[in-house]
Amino acid sequence: MKRTSCRLLRRTLAAALATVGLLGLLTAISQTGPQSTVPAAATENTATVFYYTKTKDWSAYHLHYAPDGGSWTTTPGVRMEAACTDWVKKTVSLGSASGLAVTFNNGSGVWDNNAGKNYGLGAGNITVKDGVVAHSDPCAGTGPDPSPTGTNTASVYYSTTTVGWTTTNLHYQPAGGSWTTVPGAGMEAACTGWVKRSVDLGGATSMSAAFNNGNGVWDNNNGGNYAIPAGVSTVKDRTVTPDAEDPCEAEPADTEAPTAPAKVSADADGVSVVLTWDPSTDDRGVTKYQVTRTGGTRGTMVTDVGSTVHSDANLEERTAYSYTVKAVDAAGNASTASAAATVTTGEKPAEQAGGKPLGTDPRKDPIYFVLTARFNDGDSGNNRGGSQHEKSGNSANNDPMFRGDFKGLVSKLDYIKGLGFSAVWITPVVLNRSDYDYHGYHGYDFYKVDPRLESAGASYQDLINAAHAKGMKIYQDVVYNHSSRWGAKGLFTPKTYGVRDAQWSWYYDEKNDGFAYDGLTVEPKSGKSYYNGDLWSTAEPSGNTCLNWGKPTGNSSPEGYRIYNCQWPSPTSGMFPKTYYHNCWLGNWEGEDSRSCWLHEDLADFNTESAPVQNYLIGAYNKYIDMGVDGFRIDTAVHIPRTTWNRRFLPAIQERVTTRFGAEAAKNFFVFGEVGAFVNDKWNRGSVNHSAQFFTWKERKEYSADDEKAALEMYAYEQQQGTGSQPASTNAFLDGNTYHAPDRSRFSGMNVIDMRMHMNFGDANNAYNNGKDSDDSYNDATYNVVYVDSHDYGPNKSGERYAGGTDAWAENMSLMWTFRGIPTLYYGSEIEFQAGRKIDCGPSCPLATTGRAYYGDHLTGTVKASGFGKVSTATGEVADTLDKPLVTHLRRLNEIRRAVPALQMGQYSTEGIAGSMAYKRRYTDAASGTDSFALVTVTGGATYTGIPNGTYKDAVTGDTRTVSDGKLTVAAPGKGNLRVYVLDLGGRNAAPGRIGAAGPYLK
């Protein structure tokens, strides 16, 4: 959570099914779905390509194509012919090829090339509609219906509001007749939310039917098909209504176009341009924007955009470009073009290779968590104190809030690797904006990396690449729930009332029209880097929605200054449009309003159920996925409905990683959410919607197609179901002594921080018992992120960094590194840094006195890691740090965990075991031939019965035991110590024996 601190899109079949809740996938051999006969492939294939024209309005349409393995047609390609209303088509021969690559153009230099990727199409009938490819004939049956006398007709209206398809096909079988060829006949748009199709039944009086999107996603009535009689019928939410009224009869055609986008602005950064504009309005809602770019040698380019920000990359150097924007609604009505925004690019920056995620199982990688701006300073030139520098006391300590940076982190990656960590969780990297924003959770420009973290030769990309070169992952902290109180650049930024009089001139910087805030650059008029002149206006701005603009409130500031309405961002002032932000303050942390109201004045709560907000955030985080980060830690995840995660954000992450890096990388892209549940029970005060494990599951019923309605429906349904009716899992548990393949089919895509263990880590045994008590309610608890304290809280919701003592810390670590889950350590805990200090007090005290103090003083000198947990050389203060008792304990724990696969990815059991913190773990993988079985006891003695016979070797002492009666007894190793007896299975599964040298605890 956060107080002053923390707090393309082509879906895979599985994601699409999860989103719309459809269970039936039809195949030619389906037992429950419709049957069809697919003709044998001809020796020469053809493709009939249909292209949607309504949103283009070109005077001519050309198909430029290349059969797979063949050559491209000569530009501009072959001219397409009229097919039916809003469609053109062209049939082309593919020879022996099974598909083709295509682009479309108007014959005069305006292209649709799928945003530079071209369209990859197959054979048969194929539609391309606003970037969406499907298999269909949109014109079939659109001519006059022959309907000879004596035959029956079925007119079917199908509701698309639940499924969200852009293409719909009707696959049908008249009673006593044959099924149509898959995917069936294309249905045509009838009115908003409905498509239709009329079918000649001949002498039959009914038909069986199913519907699909042309890309393998079906609605076949959960395997039962639909029975549709002659006459007019509607199908909505799996309900057939015969003899129905025409659902489109009462709805007039939408002929009203949206308003033209206003305030179009273009900013160049090298050979990239970021375009932003104010949203348009429409009587039924804007669905997309069309950006037209002119200039350069490549001709005019039109791009469809889902939000009010567009990033245009890889342009020509020192070239003038002009951009206009149109808004388009669901009916295809387009606004007039906006006023043009012009911009001139600069020079192309030096080439820098993009990153690629390491893509390995995240359970192998212990995590080191750094507050980047407080970890290590590699470049003092980007240090910034902000407006609270003096007030906070940081100035007196020569300790600016933005002090650590990527350069400092890169220079100490070997320190982190030497500790044994192979993943680094960093705080948010996006440009922040508030009075005290060093932590990263006050995002302002989600498309820009905060320059206070970057340096020449040490960009964010450089950090990712440097970590990967050392075999280390980067997990980026991301925020979907809120922006800064100043909104989000490119989506919405509020204007507030400000008068530069004798009382307030110290606070309101004079406006400088030639200056844009970036956090780093000092504004020349004020001499401040925290410039706020563009945020304030004494005159009421056009389009203002804030109530009682500039009128005195009757209240005064602590200094006695008069306070005015609209002087400060607030959710209840009318300042934030409901399309983009929620308009209320949170009242109940375990109530429905916790997902729909502001948590804090610095955290403007996004309306995450709004499509423009979703598009803005998905587009922003796609940028960082493309840079090669290995995963996302999701801030304030509990404050967004699970339906929105499962419908929108989680599938978008998976799709983007899959598209860029492949399915295996997507499988191991690690997403873990912060679901703030600060209580000691299994379910957070009985509220399933506010419990961490709840977010690891897919939805189990369908809800409204409208995301806001769906969120309310889901909340009410799950609260009514209660804790006793939630899904359960055995994914974390052994079956006796046997590892079994986990069932991840109902996994949402989000793993979580283990809040229950975190809250109970005042005592390791308490954390252990609470943790395993909850494990059947997670989809797979072996992926839980486990830590003692963080940048927010210590155990039991303490506001101080953990101060239980060195022995207790060693015991906690021994448990975390051998129990299920992924061990995680907050920076400095390896030396009990700032133990007992208040973690965060905002600007009311110096950072040096808090749990977020600067750590770099302990890292001066040089360090070189020869492996994970191994240091070859170290000098200066960092050498002393590496000799601390907990550091040596931690390094050896990491060596042991890395050598025993069961400790990384294994399931566990306490069956047949006597002991307080004692368990057995096993991991088996047939593909690699891995079989790892280990017996663990932390602190106390243990007796294991019913275990496999054989030779066991302790990874701590090297002690060897032979078991012939299924029983092994281990004496108590002592506090902070442990024993890990590994079954010796020979070959690649031989027990490693003693790992590393004895230290103050592992001995």
Side-chain angles (χ1 to χ4, degrees):
M1 264 194 315
K2 169 67 192 45
R3 289 45 57 182
T4 310
S5 67
C6 181
R7 267 255 301 136
L8 196 151
L9 288 176
R10 179 179 165 189
R11 295 176 180 155
T12 63
L13 175 59
L17 290 172
T19 301
V20 302
L22 302 178
L23 303 177
L25 171 62
L26 306 183
T27 66
I29 59 171
S30 169
Q31 298 301 307
T32 59
Q35 309 299 306
S36 61
T37 302
V38 181
T43 55
E44 180 172 320
N45 295 321
T46 63
T48 300
V49 182
F50 294 86
Y51 188 68
Y52 189 64
T53 64
K54 188 169 184 178
T55 53
K56 294 299 180 187
D57 197 27
W58 293 343
S59 59
Y61 295 83
H62 291 78
L63 176 69
H64 184 43
Y65 70 95
D68 294 345
S71 301
W72 284 91
T73 54
T74 303
T75 303
V78 295
R79 186 154 184 160
M80 305 183 76
E81 62 197 56
C84 55
T85 303
D86 299 328
W87 291 92
V88 292
K89 70 176 182 179
K90 188 66 182 179
T91 300
V92 298
S93 173
L94 302 180
S96 60
S98 58
L100 71 167
V102 309
T103 65
F104 305 90
N105 65 89
N106 71 346
S108 301
V110 179
W111 289 80
D112 172 7
N113 63 356
N114 194 21
K117 300 187 291 291
N118 302 327
Y119 291 97
L121 309 181
N125 293 326
I126 310 155
T127 60
V128 179
K129 181 180 180 182
D130 294 338
V132 177
V133 176
H135 295 271
S136 185
D137 180 352
C139 300
T142 57
D145 181 25
S147 297
T149 303
T151 64
N152 297 314
T153 300
S155 295
V156 185
Y157 288 83
Y158 183 72
S159 173
T160 60
T161 55
T162 300
V163 295
W165 297 340
T166 58
T167 298
T168 306
N169 295 299
L170 172 65
H171 186 42
Y172 65 93
Q173 178 193 42
S178 301
W179 282 96
T180 54
T181 302
V182 174
M187 303 187 76
E188 60 185 285
C191 56
T192 303
W194 292 92
V195 293
K196 67 179 180 180
R197 174 80 194 200
S198 292
V199 174
D200 182 358
L201 299 178
T205 58
S206 66
M207 65 179 177
S208 296
F211 305 88
N212 66 85
N213 73 345
N215 282 324
V217 180
W218 289 79
D219 171 8
N220 68 348
N221 194 22
N222 280 344
N225 301 327
Y226 290 97
I228 298 176
V232 176
S233 301
T234 61
V235 181
K236 183 177 183 180
D237 297 333
R238 288 209 290 270
T239 299
V240 176
T241 303
D243 297 324
E245 297 292 331
D246 184 339
C248 301
E249 192 172 74
E251 182 177 328
D254 182 6
T255 59
E256 183 176 333
T259 61
K263 298 182 181 178
V264 180
S265 174
D267 295 312
D269 181 9
V271 291
S272 297
V273 169
V274 175
L275 196 72
T276 61
W277 58 91
D278 284 354
S280 298
T281 59
D282 184 69
D283 60 332
R284 300 188 189 179
V286 173
T287 57
K288 67 175 181 177
Y289 294 90
Q290 289 185 330
V291 177
T292 300
R293 184 193 74 206
T294 58
T297 62
R298 302 172 190 168
T300 301
M301 180 66 69
V302 179
T303 305
D304 289 344
V305 179
S307 67
T308 56
V309 61
H310 172 58
S311 181
D312 201 8
N314 301 316
L315 300 171
E316 298 169 51
E317 293 182 299
R318 298 177 296 277
T319 301
Y321 289 94
S322 178
Y323 294 86
T324 59
V325 185
K326 292 181 180 180
V328 182
D329 64 17
N333 299 309
S335 72
T336 57
S338 70
T342 58
V343 67
T344 300
T345 56
E347 295 184 359
K348 185 176 182 180
E351 289 292 337
Q352 185 175 44
K356 180 181 180 181
L358 296 183
T360 53
D361 193 312
R363 295 173 295 179
K364 294 181 179 181
D365 303 299
I367 302 170
Y368 191 74
F369 172 33
V370 301
L371 202 70
T372 310
R374 307 302 301 157
F375 183 63
N376 187 51
D377 189 8
D379 178 9
S380 61
N382 60 11
N383 292 357
R384 292 293 183 269
S387 65
Q388 303 298 304
H389 191 46
E390 285 75 25
K391 178 182 177 181
S392 64
N394 290 339
S395 178
N397 292 322
N398 192 25
D399 184 27
M401 59 169 184
F402 264 98
R403 188 172 178 184
D405 47 39
F406 294 147
K407 187 172 184 179
L409 181 53
V410 168
S411 71
K412 299 305 177 186
L413 285 175
D414 269 29
Y415 168 75
I416 298 172
K417 185 173 183 176
L419 294 177
F421 293 95
S422 48
V424 185
W425 159 14
I426 60 172
T427 41
V429 304
V430 304
L431 175 63
N432 268 227
R433 190 166 192 173
S434 78
D435 290 337
Y436 216 50
D437 57 358
Y438 64 95
H439 41 68
Y441 299 94
H442 295 173
Y444 173 68
D445 188 344
F446 286 68
Y447 285 75
K448 182 180 180 66
V449 175
D450 201 307
R452 291 169 289 188
L453 297 175
E454 294 193 303
S455 310
S459 66
Y460 186 32
Q461 187 69 69
D462 290 322
L463 167 64
I464 295 168
N465 294 349
H468 288 174
K470 295 179 183 295
M472 302 169 71
K473 295 179 177 180
I474 294 293
Y475 295 151
Q476 179 179 329
D477 209 321
V478 295
V479 185
Y480 287 78
N481 177 66
H482 58 263
S483 69
S484 74
R485 66 173 178 263
W486 301 117
K489 184 178 181 182
L491 184 72
F492 174 79
T493 54
K495 188 72 72 174
T496 53
Y497 176 78
V499 54
R500 299 189 77 252
D501 56 14
Q503 294 183 334
W504 291 106
S505 60
W506 64 276
Y507 193 63
Y508 303 154
D509 294 334
E510 184 180 352
K511 185 172 176 59
N512 182 347
D513 290 328
F515 182 81
Y517 168 85
D518 67 4
L520 180 69
T521 306
V522 176
E523 193 277 317
K525 284 187 179 180
S526 65
K528 300 175 182 177
S529 63
Y530 46 91
Y531 167 78
N532 62 21
D534 59 327
L535 304 175
W536 307 94
S537 174
T538 302
E540 183 172 0
S542 61
N544 169 58
T545 56
C546 187
L547 303 176
N548 299 313
W549 176 269
K551 294 180 180 178
T553 64
N555 299 318
S556 299
S557 72
E559 301 89 350
Y561 300 158
R562 176 178 291 177
I563 295 177
Y564 301 87
N565 281 306
C566 308
Q567 195 173 10
W568 195 258
S570 166
T572 57
S573 65
M575 189 178 295
F576 288 83
K578 292 181 180 180
T579 301
Y580 305 113
Y581 287 91
H582 291 132
N583 288 180
C584 53
W585 291 108
L586 184 151
N588 179 3
W589 287 89
E590 276 76 42
E592 191 283 323
D593 63 343
S594 70
R595 69 105 199 150
S596 58
C597 295
W598 288 36
L599 312 177
H600 189 278
E601 66 181 7
D602 278 325
L603 310 177
D605 198 81
F606 282 131
N607 179 0
T608 49
E609 287 61 69
S610 164
V613 173
Q614 294 167 356
N615 292 332
Y616 177 85
L617 292 170
I618 289 170
Y621 291 128
N622 280 349
K623 168 181 177 176
Y624 305 107
I625 290 172
D626 293 351
M627 293 174 74
V629 297
D630 300 277
F632 286 158
R633 180 267 186 183
I634 298 178
D635 182 72
T636 49
V638 69
H639 299 291
I640 295 175
R642 189 178 71 177
T643 46
T644 304
W645 286 119
N646 285 345
R647 286 181 173 189
R648 309 302 174 200
F649 297 134
L650 296 173
I653 292 171
Q654 280 290 300
E655 192 280 335
R656 188 67 169 197
V657 181
T658 300
T659 299
R660 293 283 295 176
F661 306 112
E664 188 67 17
K667 172 187 173 185
N668 290 317
F669 188 89
F670 191 45
V671 176
F672 59 106
E674 178 209 26
V675 181
F678 304 107
V679 291
N680 294 329
D681 50 358
K682 183 172 183 176
W683 296 97
N684 185 12
R685 294 187 176 91
S687 172
V688 295
N689 280 280
H690 299 88
S691 299
Q693 57 268 43
F694 182 74
F695 285 79
T696 66
W697 297 93
K698 291 179 180 179
E699 304 307 329
R700 47 189 178 153
K701 72 183 299 290
E702 292 183 29
Y703 302 105
S704 169
D706 179 90
D707 286 350
E708 187 169 0
K709 292 179 181 178
L712 295 171
E713 292 169 2
M714 183 274 293
Y715 182 91
Y717 173 78
E718 294 293 358
Q719 289 295 90
Q720 190 275 332
Q721 292 297 304
T723 61
S725 298
Q726 296 301 310
S729 169
T730 61
N731 284 340
F733 305 117
L734 292 173
D735 183 2
N737 295 313
T738 304
Y739 178 88
H740 62 91
D743 177 7
R744 304 274 282 173
S745 62
R746 293 184 293 166
F747 175 53
S748 67
M750 183 190 294
N751 301 287
V752 290
I753 294 167
D754 196 318
M755 281 290 169
R756 194 172 181 197
M757 288 194 74
H758 166 46
M759 285 290 101
N760 286 279
F761 254 119
D763 174 76
N765 191 59
N766 196 38
Y768 165 69
N769 283 294
N770 274 274
K772 65 189 181 72
D773 177 55
S774 294
D775 283 354
D776 64 341
S777 59
Y778 295 98
N779 181 269
D780 191 341
T782 65
Y783 287 84
N784 284 13
V785 170
V786 182
Y787 57 61
V788 173
D789 63 358
S790 72
H791 57 334
D792 286 327
Y793 289 114
N796 299 311
K797 207 177 181 181
S798 164
E800 293 77 39
R801 289 196 72 159
Y802 181 71
T806 309
D807 289 354
W809 249 125
E811 184 178 48
N812 286 340
M813 290 179 181
S814 294
L815 173 63
M816 292 162 63
W817 262 256
T818 57
F819 189 45
R820 58 92 184 121
I822 302 171
T824 301
L825 199 72
Y826 183 39
Y827 81 96
S829 292
E830 63 270 27
I831 63 169
E832 298 176 84
F833 181 61
Q834 300 296 90
R837 296 294 185 94
K838 189 173 181 62
I839 293 173
D840 173 36
C841 59
S844 64
C845 70
L847 281 166
T849 66
T850 72
R852 299 174 178 177
Y854 177 67
Y855 191 61
D857 293 338
H858 298 277
L859 302 176
T860 58
T862 63
V863 58
K864 182 66 176 177
S866 56
F868 291 106
K870 299 180 182 294
V871 175
S872 56
T873 60
T875 64
E877 187 63 32
V878 71
D880 294 336
T881 299
L882 288 165
D883 281 337
K884 300 291 185 183
L886 283 178
V887 173
T888 58
H889 180 57
L890 179 64
R891 290 169 61 189
R892 193 173 181 207
L893 281 173
N894 269 317
E895 286 189 85
I896 292 171
R897 187 179 190 273
R898 195 168 294 277
V900 183
L903 301 183
Q904 302 168 39
M905 300 167 289
Q907 296 163 343
Y908 78 95
S909 174
T910 58
E911 178 185 346
I913 302 174
S916 58
M917 286 187 284
Y919 35 90
K920 53 188 175 183
R921 299 192 65 187
R922 190 168 205 154
Y923 175 72
T924 305
D925 178 47
S928 63
T930 300
D931 187 3
S932 176
F933 183 79
L935 308 174
V936 180
T937 184
V938 178
T939 305
T943 298
Y944 305 84
T945 58
I947 60 173
N949 291 330
T951 300
Y952 290 79
K953 297 180 180 179
D954 179 23
V956 177
T957 65
D959 179 47
T960 299
R961 305 280 191 92
T962 300
V963 173
S964 58
D965 59 355
K967 182 177 179 181
L968 190 151
T969 298
V970 180
K975 188 150 186 169
N977 209 344
L978 79 156
R979 296 291 180 259
V980 182
Y981 280 88
V982 181
L983 177 61
D984 191 338
L985 295 170
R988 65 172 296 126
N989 296 311
R994 176 173 171 169
I995 300 171
Y1001 295 104
L1002 293 178
K1003 56 187 177 182

